Amino acid sequence: MSIVENFDLYAPRLIDKGEYFSVGHTGCAGCGEALATRLVLKGLGKDTIVSNATGCLEIISSRYPTTAWEIPWIHVAFENAAAVAAGVEAGLKALRRKGRIPDRDVKSVSMAGDGGTADIGLQALSGAMERGHDMIHVCFDNEAYMNTGIQRSSQTPFGAWSTTSPPGEVSFGQRTWKKNIPEIIVAHNIAYVSTANPSYPLDLIRKVEKARKLKGPSYIHCLSVCPTGWRMDSSLTIKMGRLALETGIFPLYEVENGKYRITVDMPEPLRPVDDYLKLQGRFRHLTPDKIEEMQARVNLEHKKLMNKVEQLQSWKDLD
Ligand SMILES: Cc1ncc(C[n+]2csc(CCOP(=O)(O)OP(=O)(O)O)c2C)c(N)n1
């Protein structure tokens, strides 16, 4: 894809200089989630109310009596972030209708980790998306239940070590493949679903801004590199995010009214998955046959995605 085709992505533009996620949070060195949150909030702006499920993000941002949040923020349970954000949106609408608050465009946004989104929070999220609330859900996917001690989730990659998927004589680590949450949300027929990655900050901010402008539910699935849980050098966070894209492990795309579009090009051919795996201790035990299995799966998923990019039309074009 050329720069001309992607003008809105590459054109010089002003980024909100405001900081809505302040320094002094207690994230680990190299925390990809903290960086992603800072960028997401730049895309959202100050007229935002965040409902944040329990998890790393809440823990690192709200150590009593301090807060890293420069906007209204509600800490909610592990399972109900999207339900609370839906309630906030409905409440704002009612108060506006009654003239009790100014008629201002305030966005309700739920944020949760992969456990709070893909596992225990999925029911609340599905309901909120299906009911059509004017809100965004952002999943910060660090691929395990990190804040409680690196337990596996449905987003932990095949073969990865975690404290509840330990490799050993009878196990090679996580036995399952990542559940495809963006695809599950696409099936709700909402107007906007995308993947994001703070190693590509302009792409991330542009996607958040797009979701912010839409009326109705949107979903953003954001890769959050976690040096602590991934057993990697904390100076490699940005590089690891880039490798996730270059190997095709975490492609960046958006689905607008059913139409798929790649937003950051991947190399052709893709880099071998081993370039990504070998820098992370959680994959250290993998044998060549397991790495081959992963490569084959990544190749297949890449083909499935590219097929959708080529085949699927926007619903608007089908009218
Ligand atoms: C019903 C319930 N079960 C378990 C917990 C304990 N708990 C709190 S956060 C968490 C894991 C969070 O994982 P994730 O959503 O992936 O976010 P991360 O910490 O990795 O950012 C767990 C198991 C809880 N708070 N409530």
Side-chain angles (χ1 to χ4, degrees):
M1 252 177 281
S2 70
I3 289 181
V4 174
E5 281 170 62
N6 272 310
F7 187 72
D8 58 339
L9 178 59
Y10 293 106
R13 54 208 289 277
L14 295 176
I15 292 176
D16 191 339
K17 286 214 174 91
E19 294 293 350
Y20 309 109
F21 192 70
S22 70
V23 294
H25 60 74
T26 55
C28 305
C31 175
E33 190 158 313
L35 174 60
T37 303
R38 178 177 169 226
L39 296 171
V40 165
L41 293 182
K42 278 179 182 286
L44 290 170
K46 67 175 167 44
D47 284 341
T48 303
I49 300 176
V50 169
S51 303
N52 184 189
T54 204
C56 281
L57 183 57
E58 160 256 333
I59 296 289
I60 67 169
S61 62
S62 62
R63 195 173 63 166
Y64 184 79
T66 65
T67 177
W69 298 88
E70 304 282 351
I71 54 163
W73 174 83
I74 310 168
H75 171 221
V76 303
F78 191 19
E79 54 273 61
N80 65 347
V84 174
V88 167
E89 186 260 346
L92 286 171
K93 213 177 345 179
L95 290 172
R96 242 182 257 125
R97 196 176 52 234
K98 291 179 180 168
R100 305 253 288 271
I101 56 171
D103 192 11
R104 226 170 62 209
D105 178 23
V106 177
K107 198 80 174 184
S108 177
V109 179
S110 48
M111 295 184 178
D114 45 291
T117 299
D119 299 341
I120 197 168
L122 187 59
Q123 178 179 326
L125 175 61
S126 176
M129 297 286 110
E130 177 270 323
R131 290 190 302 272
H133 290 278
D134 180 16
M135 61 176 273
I136 306 171
H137 182 87
V138 185
C139 171
F140 293 110
D141 182 5
N142 54 21
E143 304 189 322
Y145 298 172
M146 291 303 178
N147 113 86
T148 41
I150 323 176
Q151 294 90 12
R152 59 82 71 188
S153 77
S154 67
Q155 300 305 292
T156 303
F158 176 82
W161 162 89
S162 76
T163 52
T164 50
S165 61
E169 269 174 34
V170 292
S171 169
F172 57 86
Q174 172 87 339
R175 289 165 196 269
T176 51
W177 299 93
K178 266 182 96 131
K179 182 161 75 176
N180 192 334
I181 295 298
E183 201 61 27
I184 290 173
I185 306 299
V186 167
H188 288 68
N189 291 320
I190 61 172
Y192 189 71
V193 176
S194 64
T195 60
N197 176 344
S199 294
Y200 300 90
L202 291 186
D203 181 71
L204 183 150
I205 292 174
R206 192 189 57 81
K207 283 169 174 163
V208 176
E209 286 172 347
K210 196 180 254 192
R212 172 84 177 73
K213 279 192 201 122
L214 272 171
K215 290 281 165 237
S218 326
Y219 176 81
I220 299 177
H221 194 96
C222 185
L223 183 71
S224 303
V225 173
C226 174
T228 307
W230 297 12
R231 297 290 191 246
M232 52 171 267
D233 190 310
S234 62
S235 68
L236 295 181
T237 297
I238 300 300
K239 178 176 177 169
M240 204 61 76
R242 290 193 186 136
L243 284 169
L245 178 111
E246 289 166 14
T247 53
I249 284 175
F250 195 92
L252 285 173
Y253 62 94
E254 61 186 6
V255 191
E256 244 181 304
N257 299 309
K259 170 84 186 149
Y260 284 71
R261 192 172 80 89
I262 300 292
T263 60
V264 179
D265 286 345
M266 288 165 273
E268 196 62 54
L270 296 171
R271 278 178 83 149
V273 290
D274 199 32
D275 287 1
Y276 175 77
L277 305 180
K278 69 185 176 201
L279 296 173
Q280 300 177 41
R282 64 178 174 158
F283 296 116
R284 192 170 26 218
H285 56 280
L286 288 183
T287 50
D289 61 313
K290 285 288 169 245
I291 295 175
E292 257 172 51
E293 226 178 298
M294 284 176 89
Q295 185 67 66
R297 177 71 179 228
V298 168
N299 293 349
L300 175 67
E301 292 300 328
H302 181 66
K303 277 191 201 145
K304 279 162 69 182
L305 177 62
M306 297 317 270
N307 198 38
K308 282 180 204 151
V309 169
E310 280 152 28
Q311 302 293 322
L312 294 180
Q313 297 289 312
S314 160
W315 310 319
K316 290 183 176 163
D317 298 336
L318 299 176
D319 274 350

